[in-house]
Amino acid sequence: EYDLIIVGSGLYGCVTAYLAHQAGWRCLVIEKRAFTGGNIRDEVREGINVHSYGPHVFHTRHQEVWDFANRFTPFNHFRYCPLARYGGNMYNLPFNMHTFYQLYGTQTPEEAALRLRQEQGLYPHPRNLEEKAVSMVGRTMYETLIKGYTEKQWGRKATELPPFIIERLPLRFTFDNNYFNDPYQGVPMAGYSPWVDKMLEGTEVRLNTDFLADKDYWMKKAGHVLYTGAIDAFYDYVLGKLEYRTVRFETEVLDTDNYQGVAVVNYTDRETPYTRVIEHKHFEFGTQKKTVISREYSTDWKEGMEPYYPVNDARNQELYQKYAALAEKEEKVIFGGRLGEYKYYDMDKVIEAALNQWEKMQR
């Protein structure tokens, strides 16, 4: 009945649905939620686009990906320059010359580099996140800006987390507060929801539909299935359950035009229960008379909750590899996206992966 059934209408599914529709494929998108877009969905409150599932800033270094994204929406010139709050003080992120000055009083790259060398631990082969972080940025910066935030985010001691989690941390010896180095950056000017909805134009979409509740029925209707849900759920957890971290938000409208002066402030102490505060209007340079903020709390995932971040420790990676081996034997099912591949993806990497997968599907 369909050439392709796409399970999940997140960014990976929407990109593939657009490509399939353009190619003349009979395509159906099945979505468990009551809306499309997955976790990049936003909603308008007080004239402000509120990022319902956490802050999203699109960035890429690939012209092809940027051009594809701009087919559906113009992007503004927003640059992600978050702040960190610890002990009543504010620090610039990512770690740069501003941060070094705020922490150490250093004013030149040479002074900052010397101070870091004096503090960096002797861990040639870091065994965990703490040792890796100290070897990168030293003890003071680690204790002030990494330890508490990371342990809240993952619900584990830093000494129990693998070192590679911290490897993506930007560290630079310039006065540059732009978190990302990519040349193409911004936020959709109309919001993320219209962006993904534009990709789905012309494609049949069924909302509030649980593919796994009637998997055999849907499998018979499709020549191919692109599954972007949790891979362990697809196999009914036959090998065990993968672990995730999830987040919840407390969102409120405030009767002020400017609450914190920046889109995101990270709270890096262990005592503050939330990890960060998001002020949504600043993603679009809003001038509304009111503002909307969200406090973000990180917690362990339980069945029925929305999984956000794979827990990429050794046990979970070993279990995922077993599920991936089962997936390789599937003749008509392709697993993609953050949950299907048990992998953290930035948005540009999602688009890139979907474009590459589409090329393989047509061979």
Side-chain angles (χ1 to χ4, degrees):
E1 190 169 335
Y2 297 99
D3 298 310
L4 175 64
I5 287 181
I6 299 172
V7 183
S9 66
L11 187 54
Y12 197 113
C14 289
V15 170
T16 306
Y18 169 79
L19 296 170
H21 178 69
Q22 293 297 110
W25 285 33
R26 295 167 298 165
C27 182
L28 169 67
V29 174
I30 296 177
E31 173 55 57
K32 188 176 181 179
R33 299 181 183 181
F35 53 83
T36 58
N39 287 356
I40 65 171
R41 190 79 186 179
D42 52 21
E43 59 177 336
V44 179
R45 297 182 63 175
E46 302 293 335
I48 300 166
N49 283 318
V50 175
H51 297 201
S52 304
Y53 297 93
H56 290 89
V57 180
F58 191 82
H59 58 96
T60 184
R61 66 184 59 188
H62 300 295
Q63 180 78 50
E64 177 188 10
V65 172
W66 181 246
D67 290 344
F68 181 87
N70 278 268
R71 292 185 195 180
F72 312 99
T73 181
F75 285 76
N76 67 17
H77 63 278
F78 177 82
R79 296 296 183 264
Y80 188 50
C81 301
L83 294 173
R85 184 183 180 96
Y86 181 89
N89 296 317
M90 304 290 282
Y91 301 92
N92 288 100
L93 298 176
F95 302 150
N96 64 66
M97 287 298 297
H98 290 288
T99 325
F100 304 146
Y101 175 74
Q102 292 153 354
L103 275 171
Y104 312 128
T106 55
Q107 298 186 27
T108 68
E110 184 179 7
E111 291 173 351
L114 176 61
R115 180 60 185 264
L116 285 184
R117 286 198 299 271
Q118 291 171 343
E119 290 211 358
Q120 288 164 337
L122 299 176
Y123 300 115
H125 305 289
R127 298 167 296 176
N128 54 57
L129 185 147
E130 179 170 298
E131 292 183 358
K132 179 67 175 179
V134 173
S135 70
M136 291 173 64
V137 301
R139 179 65 61 175
T140 299
M141 189 174 293
Y142 166 71
E143 296 283 353
T144 305
L145 300 176
I146 298 176
K147 179 179 171 63
Y149 183 90
T150 301
E151 292 185 345
K152 286 190 293 186
Q153 185 179 29
W154 292 102
R156 291 165 170 78
K157 293 181 179 179
T159 53
E160 299 172 359
L161 291 167
F164 71 83
I165 290 178
I166 205 74
E167 289 176 352
R168 298 170 67 239
L169 184 71
L171 178 67
R172 56 179 72 121
F173 291 90
T174 60
F175 287 92
D176 180 7
N177 295 324
N178 184 357
Y179 199 89
F180 305 114
N181 290 318
D182 298 326
Y184 309 109
Q185 301 180 42
V187 172
M189 295 179 70
Y192 281 99
S193 294
W195 179 32
V196 295
D197 289 344
K198 194 77 173 176
M199 294 186 209
L200 293 173
E201 286 184 357
T203 297
E204 182 181 353
V205 178
R206 298 196 188 187
L207 302 176
N208 299 302
T209 303
D210 187 350
F211 170 84
L212 294 179
D214 209 351
K215 183 168 70 171
D216 291 340
Y217 170 81
W218 292 113
M219 292 287 286
K220 293 175 183 177
K221 286 183 169 288
H224 299 278
V225 172
L226 172 64
Y227 180 82
T228 67
I231 189 171
D232 54 344
F234 182 89
Y235 289 106
D236 199 24
Y237 309 107
V238 64
L239 302 175
K241 293 183 179 180
L242 293 165
E243 292 181 282
Y244 298 89
R245 292 291 287 176
T246 190
V247 293
R248 65 179 179 87
F249 301 92
E250 292 180 353
T251 299
E252 59 179 315
V253 177
L254 300 179
D255 195 17
T256 179
D257 64 347
N258 191 358
Y259 174 72
Q260 62 186 19
V262 68
V264 176
V265 175
N266 291 353
Y267 284 73
T268 60
D269 62 284
R270 196 69 178 86
E271 293 71 31
T272 302
Y274 42 86
T275 54
R276 54 186 175 178
V277 174
I278 305 147
E279 188 169 10
H280 301 272
K281 70 189 306 178
H282 293 303
F283 291 107
E284 300 176 23
F285 318 104
T287 58
Q288 298 88 347
K289 293 183 179 180
K290 295 187 177 182
T291 194
V292 182
I293 67 166
S294 298
R295 295 179 180 89
E296 181 176 316
Y297 297 80
S298 181
T299 184
D300 282 327
W301 174 84
K302 294 181 177 59
E303 203 166 348
M305 302 170 73
E306 180 62 31
Y308 274 73
Y309 305 108
V311 179
N312 292 128
D313 58 15
R315 189 198 75 81
N316 282 285
Q317 276 303 307
E318 182 179 351
L319 180 56
Y320 167 69
Q321 291 302 326
K322 293 178 181 178
Y323 278 116
L326 293 179
E328 289 180 1
K329 299 176 183 178
E330 298 286 346
E331 294 184 358
K332 61 189 294 184
V333 182
I334 299 166
F335 294 83
R338 175 175 53 94
L339 302 180
E341 299 176 62
Y342 197 65
K343 179 180 181 181
Y344 181 80
Y345 266 124
D346 286 331
M347 286 183 285
D348 65 318
K349 296 296 189 294
V350 172
I351 293 178
E352 186 178 353
L355 293 173
N356 292 336
Q357 184 59 61
W358 173 249
E359 289 186 9
K360 295 178 183 177
M361 290 171 64
Q362 295 181 95
R363 292 172 186 167

